[in-house]
Amino acid sequence: MSSVPRPASDSALKRRKGALAAAALLVLLVICLIAWLHGVYVERENRHRHQAERELQSINQLQLQAVVGWQQRSLRDAEMLVEDTLLSAALGHWLGDGDVSAREGVRRRLRTLNELGHYTAVHFVDSAGTVLLSNRADDGREGKRVPMADLGALQSALSSAKAVMAEPVSDQAFAFPFISVFAPLYDDEVAIGAVWLVQDLRSALLPLLEPWPTPSQTARSGIVWRDGEQARYLNAPRGVKAEVLQYRYPLDGNPAAVVLALGGVRGVFYASDEQGRAVMAMASPVFGTRWLLLSSVEVAEVFADVRRREVLALALPVSLLLLASAGVFGLVLRRAWQRERVLTQALQRSLGGLEAQLRVDPLTGVANRRGLDEAVSFQLALAVRGETPLALLMIDVDHFKLYNDQYGHPAGDQCLKALAAALQAHVGRAGELVARYGGEEFAVLLPLTDGKAALDLAQRMCEAVRRLQIPHAASTVASHVTVSIGVAWLKADAVTVEYARTHRVAPEGGPDWPLMSELLEQADAALYEAKRLGRDQAVLYLDPDGEVR
C-alpha cells in the first residue's frame, strides 16, 4: 500500500502554535516585567516621598525655631524693663512729683530702646491705655490711646505683672501692620502703667517666613490662627494678592490644609491649598500663642521629576527585553541606584548648607544673632571650666538711622558691609567671633581676653572705622561714620563651683544662662555709657562700686 502524505497545513499549524506560544511567553514576560517595575516604581516613589517629607519637616522646624527665638527675644526685652527698678523710680518721680528732668530721662531711655532694640516705636502708657510719653516728643502719639484690640493684652500684663505679647494688628494707629509687647511697671507694688513696644511685622516677622531655603516654585510658609469661623493669615497664601493681615479663609469643613491644621492635625499631611491644588503640608504650633506655622509645597512639584524618570525607566526595559538584552537591565538599575545616591547626597548637602546659613548674616557675611548666642554659650562654658577670662564687645553705629535717612538704605547696607569687614580684620584667634547683633549693632566675642586687652582692641576698632572715612553729613559726632563700643568681661577664675552650679553654667544649661545674660547686660550698659559720653569711643564696664570688671 502506498503511504498517504500529510496535509501541507500541518506544518503551518505547528508554526502558528509555536508563534502563539512564543508570543504568549513574551507577553507573560512583559507582564511580569511591568509588574516588577511597577513595584520598583511604587517603592522608589514612596522613598522619594519620605525624603520630601523629611525636608519639609526640617525646614518647618528651622523656621519655627526662628519665630520662637524672635518671640522670646521680644518678651525678654520686655521682662528686663519689668525688673528695671531705676526706670520705675524715674516714672514715679515724674508722675508723682512732676519732675520734668525725670520725664526727659525716661524719654531718653525709651529712645535708647527704640534705637538699640530695633522697635518701630516705644511709648509709656497709663493703666487705661493712654500714651503719656513717647520716644519722640514730636511723633504726635502722646495723648492718644492704645488700639482696642491691644487693650486686653495691656490689662493682662498689668494684672499678671509679666510681659505680654498681643496679637498682630492692622489699625489706623500706625500706617503698617504691627505687633505689641507690653511691659508692666510698678512703683511700690502699685501699677503705674506699661512700656508699649511696637514692631512692624513686615520687617520683624515676615523675613523669618517668606524666603524658602531650597529651590522651589510652589513652597511657602505662613502663620495662621483661628478667628471665629475663619482662619486669619499673617501673610497671604501663594497666588493671593493681599496685604499683611488682610486675608481670611472660611473654616467650612473643606479639605484645605489650613482647615485640617486648625482642626488639630499636626505633623506632615496631605490636603489641598486655598485654590484647591493638592499639597504636602506641615503644621507646628508656636509655643505660647494661638499661632500655627503652616508650610506646604505642591504635590505635583514634589513628584514631577521622579514620575517622569520612572515612566522612562518602564519604557526602556520593555524595549530592551524585545532585543533580548538582559545585561542592559542591570545597567539601568545601576544607573538608577547611582542617581538615587546623588539625590540623597544633594539633599543632605542642601540641609547642611541650610543649617550653616541660619548662623550667618546674609548682608555682612559675619555671624548672626543665633550664631553669636551659640558661640557665647560654648565659650562661657570653656571659660568657667578653664578659669580663663572672656570678653564681649557691643558695637553700635552712631546715628545710623540718620545715615539711612540721608543716603538711603542701599548706601546703609554698603556701610554695614564695610564696617563688618573692618571689624573682622581685627580678630583671628581661635574662638574669636564678629557677629551682627541686629540692625546697625555688632558684637565681638573674645575668649582668653581680659578687660584691658579687650578695651585696647575696641579702641583700635574705633580708629579703624574712622580711617574708613565713610561720609556721614547727618552725624553730630563727626563728618564721617563712627562707632561706640561697650566692653564687658568675665573673670572666670572668680566664679566658684557653687556660683556656677546655681547659675547653671554647664554644657547642658542651654543658651539662656543667667551668667551669659549678665555679660550681655554689662556690655549693653557700657555701650550706653559710651553713647552718653559723646559716642565715637570705647568704654569698659565698671561695677557699681567703681571697680573695673
Side-chain angles (χ1 to χ4, degrees):
M1 295 180 58
S2 60
S3 61
V4 178
R6 291 178 179 272
S9 60
D10 287 351
S11 59
L13 180 61
K14 288 182 179 179
R15 286 195 299 270
R16 284 197 297 268
K17 287 183 177 179
L20 289 174
L25 180 60
L26 180 60
V27 170
L28 180 61
L29 289 176
V30 170
I31 292 175
C32 292
L33 178 63
I34 291 176
W36 175 73
L37 289 175
H38 180 264
V40 173
Y41 167 81
V42 172
E43 179 185 358
R44 288 166 61 83
E45 185 178 57
N46 289 335
R47 189 181 305 168
H48 183 80
R49 176 186 290 107
H50 294 157
Q51 291 176 347
E53 290 174 354
R54 286 195 295 270
E55 179 179 351
L56 180 65
Q57 187 176 33
S58 298
I59 292 173
N60 178 273
Q61 291 302 304
L62 290 172
Q63 291 179 332
L64 178 65
Q65 291 176 13
V67 172
V68 172
W70 163 81
Q71 176 196 36
Q72 291 178 347
R73 286 193 299 273
S74 300
L75 291 174
R76 186 159 53 239
D77 288 347
E79 288 293 347
M80 291 174 62
L81 295 175
V82 175
E83 299 171 3
D84 192 338
T85 56
L86 294 178
L87 178 60
S88 297
L91 284 168
H93 286 309
W94 169 44
L95 296 175
D97 305 331
D99 188 343
V100 176
S101 62
R103 181 193 65 188
E104 293 307 313
V106 173
R107 191 190 301 278
R108 286 193 297 273
R109 180 63 189 279
L110 298 183
R111 188 179 301 116
T112 300
L113 280 172
N114 176 240
E115 295 177 357
L116 301 184
H118 315 295
Y119 295 99
T120 309
V122 181
H123 307 295
F124 173 73
V125 300
D126 63 15
S127 300
T130 302
V131 177
L132 301 183
L133 192 65
S134 298
N135 60 294
R136 290 176 50 199
D138 59 348
D139 66 358
R141 293 295 306 169
E142 295 181 2
K144 296 184 178 179
R145 291 178 58 81
V146 170
M148 290 294 297
D150 284 347
L151 285 178
L154 171 61
Q155 296 305 321
S156 176
L158 292 173
S159 61
S160 64
K162 294 181 179 179
V164 173
M165 177 175 284
E167 293 289 342
V169 175
S170 179
D171 187 270
Q172 62 182 3
F174 296 96
F176 50 83
F178 63 94
I179 191 167
S180 303
V181 178
F182 293 97
L185 299 178
Y186 299 83
D187 188 14
D188 294 332
E189 299 183 356
V190 177
I192 57 177
V195 174
W196 178 21
L197 304 173
V198 180
Q199 296 187 64
D200 187 342
L201 289 170
R202 299 170 301 178
S203 58
L205 187 53
L206 289 189
L208 304 178
L209 304 174
E210 293 184 341
W212 195 263
T214 59
S216 175
Q217 298 296 320
T218 64
R220 66 172 298 278
S221 289
I223 289 179
V224 298
W225 63 94
R226 179 183 289 272
D227 188 2
E229 295 301 317
Q230 293 181 319
R232 188 87 180 271
Y233 287 67
L234 178 69
N235 49 327
R238 188 180 68 87
V240 176
K241 293 183 179 180
E243 297 294 332
V244 178
L245 295 177
Q246 297 303 310
Y247 185 78
R248 298 172 184 265
Y249 189 83
L251 301 176
D252 55 4
N254 65 69
V258 65
V259 176
L260 297 178
L262 293 177
V265 177
R266 297 292 181 268
V268 178
F269 59 96
Y270 291 82
S272 60
D273 64 7
E274 293 76 2
Q275 285 74 42
R277 296 178 293 244
V279 295
M280 180 172 65
M282 168 76 182
S284 299
V286 180
F287 178 77
T289 70
R290 298 188 299 151
W291 305 347
L292 286 179
L293 178 61
L294 183 62
S295 303
S296 64
V297 61
E298 285 190 20
V299 173
E301 181 185 9
V302 173
F303 297 106
D305 189 50
V306 67
R307 286 173 178 168
R308 183 169 53 253
R309 291 197 312 271
E310 297 304 330
V311 167
L312 293 175
L314 282 173
L316 181 60
V318 171
S319 300
L320 293 177
L321 178 64
L322 297 176
L323 297 175
S325 180
V328 177
F329 288 133
L331 180 61
V332 171
L333 294 178
R334 183 173 181 273
R335 287 179 177 176
W337 175 77
Q338 290 176 337
R339 179 62 175 168
E340 179 184 349
R341 185 175 62 178
V342 169
L343 290 175
T344 302
Q345 292 173 349
L347 178 60
Q348 292 173 347
R349 288 195 299 269
S350 176
L351 293 177
L354 173 64
E355 184 68 22
Q357 290 174 8
L358 290 176
R359 294 176 174 83
V360 176
D361 177 54
L363 175 64
T364 61
V366 299
N368 60 13
R369 178 73 174 269
R370 178 180 180 181
L372 175 67
D373 289 343
E374 293 178 356
V376 172
S377 300
F378 178 73
Q379 293 297 339
L380 185 58
L382 292 181
V384 171
R385 186 182 297 112
E387 297 186 353
T388 56
L390 177 66
L392 180 67
L393 311 183
M394 296 298 291
I395 305 171
D396 187 73
V397 184
D398 296 327
H399 300 301
F400 189 71
K401 184 177 185 301
L402 297 179
Y403 186 93
N404 275 337
D405 294 341
Q406 179 78 14
Y407 299 101
H409 288 279
D413 291 345
Q414 294 303 317
C415 175
L416 292 177
K417 290 180 182 179
L419 295 180
L423 300 177
Q424 188 73 39
H426 285 75
V427 299
R429 296 191 306 169
E432 294 184 342
L433 179 73
V434 175
R436 187 181 179 193
Y437 200 68
E440 70 275 13
E441 194 169 7
F442 293 88
V444 180
L445 181 64
L446 300 172
L448 304 175
T449 305
D450 60 14
K452 182 179 183 302
L455 182 60
D456 290 342
L457 178 59
Q459 291 169 343
R460 292 198 301 273
M461 286 181 172
C462 284
E463 179 59 29
V465 172
R466 296 187 197 107
R467 287 198 300 269
L468 293 177
Q469 288 295 306
I470 301 175
H472 191 348
S475 174
T476 61
V477 180
S479 61
H480 52 79
V481 171
T482 59
V483 295
S484 300
I485 304 180
V487 183
W489 71 292
L490 170 70
K491 294 188 290 186
D493 56 348
V495 178
T496 66
V497 174
E498 182 62 28
Y499 183 82
R501 183 181 298 113
T502 56
H503 282 66
R504 301 193 301 130
V505 182
E508 64 273 17
D512 292 328
W513 300 341
L515 199 59
M516 185 179 86
S517 299
E518 180 181 328
L519 185 62
L520 291 170
E521 291 169 4
Q522 290 171 357
D524 270 332
L527 174 60
Y528 179 79
E529 181 67 12
K531 296 168 76 71
R532 189 187 68 82
L533 293 174
R535 306 174 189 261
D536 190 22
Q537 58 186 289
V539 171
L540 179 64
Y541 175 79
L542 300 178
D543 278 336
D545 57 4
E547 295 183 359
V548 175
R549 281 279 310 214

